[in-house]
Amino acid sequence: MDLQFFCRVFLITALISLVCQVCSVTAGDIVHDDDLAPKKPGCENDFVLVKVQTWVDGIEDAEFVGVGARFGTTIVSKEKNANQRRLILSDPRDCCSAPKNKLANDVIMVDRGHCKFTTKANYAQAAHASAILIINNQKELYKMVCEPDETDLDIHIPAVMLPQDAGTSLEKMLISNSSVSVQLYSPTRPLVDIAEVFLWLMAVGTILCASYWSAWSAREAAIEQDKLLKDALDEIPDTRPVGSGGIVDINTTSAILFVVVASCFLVMLYKLMSYWFVELLVVLFCIGGVEGLQTCSVALLSRWFKRAGKSYIKVPFFGTLSYLTLAVSPFCIAFAVVWAVYRNVSFAWIGQDILGIALIITVLQIVHVPNLKVGTVLLSCAFLYDIFWVFVSKKLFHESVMIVVARGDRSGEDGIPMLLKIPRMFDPWGGYSIIGFGDILLPGLLITFSLRYDWLANKTLRAGYFLWAMIAYGLGLLITYVALNLMDGHGQPALLYIVPFTLGTFLTLGKKRGDLRVLWTRGEPERPCPHIRLEHQHHEELDDDNH
């Protein structure tokens, strides 16, 4: 194994461990309910995000986002039904006593602390405020609930918590301008956003492309091996697995170990999540993205530039490279660098998805599941891994480790780059629909294996396993999005739904067709050895001559 291939395999292996950290699909940060804050009469609102649109001297200005309280009246959902009201800074600031301000259906802004939330709301209501904005003493939002022994809950004005930085901005507006008014409303999120449809198509399309490329390469390698054997009757047949050149086969031990290592990486990401750590992940993602984009580009362009693709030059450290690879590499590097520099702009998700898809296709081309046994072990472990880090981790860490890492809550960034994402196009809250690389890669390893088997066994599309595995994956991912929307946007472990559909379909069909033993052990159909077949024909011809 040359240095170039060793480095390539090492990089791909490291990136697989990273990209499989985020195996949840999330639709945003809106929280509708919370079992830790039980409801009671007068304090039974769902927690909803609230838009606070401002106007300064009649001109529309900044918009802030807060969270509605358990108590008070519900906030209107449509902007056209929300009234503009003048904003007043409370005196005293904490509103723990009757305000000295003269209010006439104005919105009063108060500071958090020194008394209960409901006490502030009652004083504001008694002073004829139309709503109360409570400014948190931290940058995060806080859910305002009622104390277990509270009884004074006859509150008929909306109460909204805003983060500290929003309060600072609003205070500056009030000090430097003559008139500031606000409008409060909480738009409902659409049941289905078209972004989820495109994300589904991207995931299915990525596996489709990777599967056909992998199967085509395996068939070409098989044909080449047969030619070599036919041309060398006197040589011992090459007993290496078909298509083994440049391929990494996963075994049962590495499948189990992979999930253990991935869990360690996930905990490390959770504990060390910070701005600099995300920057490090961006660098690693760019390196993997360049490798993936270069591999895919060279494979595609070599059909038109065959001479450049087959002419090689030796480069220090990188080994032997084709002229086509040398020509394509600068463009791939430039693409990744431009994305890294401008990754925070609104359209940067396009570059991230291109790099991500290229990386996934390349991994599925290089890393193979040799048989159904290894695929079953890998997906079963990943199934348990996904459930544990999305749901069970809440009991140990008081929050879902997987979802926190996916969103990059502690990094000051928009999340780690090892995921595909599309902006929610018709969602008033904006945000992205995302899917982790692991939700495409891990099932993709089994699906690409199915098409390789079908092609080597000369099975038709209907009689093979690939079509049904592909349909099962698509249905599993579709069920994930249905569950996501039924759960009001709470992140879902996609492999919880994808693995039973995909693996269950494969195992059931294999047993029904009588191929399960071959699929489970060999992983490829029995093929007559050309060397033995030609040698047998040669002996028959000699016997005929003797007679």
Side-chain angles (χ1 to χ4, degrees), residues 51 86 104 148 237 264 336 379 512 516-517:
K51 289 193 175 188
R86 190 172 59 137
C264 294
L379 287 183
K512 184 178 179 180
L516 191 58
R517 181 181 293 275

Side-chain angles (χ1 to χ4, degrees), residues 29-31 47-51 65-68 141 185-187 429:
D29 302 329
I30 189 165
V31 180
F47 293 115
V48 294
L49 291 179
V50 180
K51 289 193 175 188
V65 177
V67 62
L141 290 173
Y185 62 103
S186 178
W429 292 103

Side-chain angles (χ1 to χ4, degrees), residues 14 16-22 255-273 277 281 381 385-386 388-389 393 397 401-402 405:
I16 291 177
S17 298
L18 285 171
V19 299
C20 293
Q21 301 309 314
V22 187
I256 298 171
L257 186 62
F258 166 74
V259 175
V260 175
V261 172
S263 296
C264 294
F265 267 108
L266 184 61
V267 174
M268 183 177 71
L269 285 171
Y270 176 73
K271 293 294 185 181
L272 300 179
M273 184 62 70
F277 201 77
L281 293 180
C381 290
Y385 163 88
D386 223 9
F388 180 86
W389 290 113
S393 62
F397 298 91
V401 172
M402 186 82 77
V405 171

Side-chain angles (χ1 to χ4, degrees), residues 89 155 188 220 344 362 461 497 509:
L89 188 61
I155 301 170
T188 54
E220 288 293 306
N344 293 321
T362 300
L461 192 62
Y497 309 97
L509 276 178

Side-chain angles (χ1 to χ4, degrees), residues 26 48 97 182 206 286 290 424-425 462 512 534:
T26 179
V48 294
S97 58
V182 295
T206 299
C286 286
V290 167
R424 295 179 64 83
M425 302 173 190
R462 188 173 178 181
K512 184 178 179 180
L534 290 175

Side-chain angles (χ1 to χ4, degrees), residues 136-173:
N136 197 11
N137 50 18
Q138 299 176 3
K139 293 182 178 180
E140 294 80 17
L141 290 173
Y142 184 83
K143 296 175 182 176
M144 296 185 289
V145 298
C146 308
E147 298 293 337
D149 56 347
E150 284 193 74
T151 56
D152 193 9
L153 296 173
D154 190 23
I155 301 170
H156 301 292
I157 62 172
V160 177
M161 168 73 75
L162 286 175
Q164 188 178 45
D165 53 352
T168 303
S169 299
L170 286 172
E171 187 175 348
K172 288 180 180 178
M173 289 181 186

Side-chain angles (χ1 to χ4, degrees), residues 224-280:
E224 185 66 25
Q225 186 181 19
D226 286 350
K227 286 181 180 178
L228 290 173
L229 293 173
K230 288 176 183 177
D231 294 340
L233 288 177
D234 55 335
E235 294 181 9
I236 298 175
D238 189 352
T239 57
R240 291 177 301 172
V242 173
S244 62
I247 300 300
V248 178
D249 280 331
I250 303 174
N251 56 36
T252 307
T253 304
S254 61
I256 298 171
L257 186 62
F258 166 74
V259 175
V260 175
V261 172
S263 296
C264 294
F265 267 108
L266 184 61
V267 174
M268 183 177 71
L269 285 171
Y270 176 73
K271 293 294 185 181
L272 300 179
M273 184 62 70
S274 60
Y275 175 79
W276 69 266
F277 201 77
V278 171
E279 294 296 308
L280 176 62

Side-chain angles (χ1 to χ4, degrees), residues 174-187:
L174 288 169
I175 293 172
S176 59
N177 296 279
S178 56
S179 175
V180 178
S181 58
V182 295
Q183 185 183 36
L184 310 181
Y185 62 103
S186 178

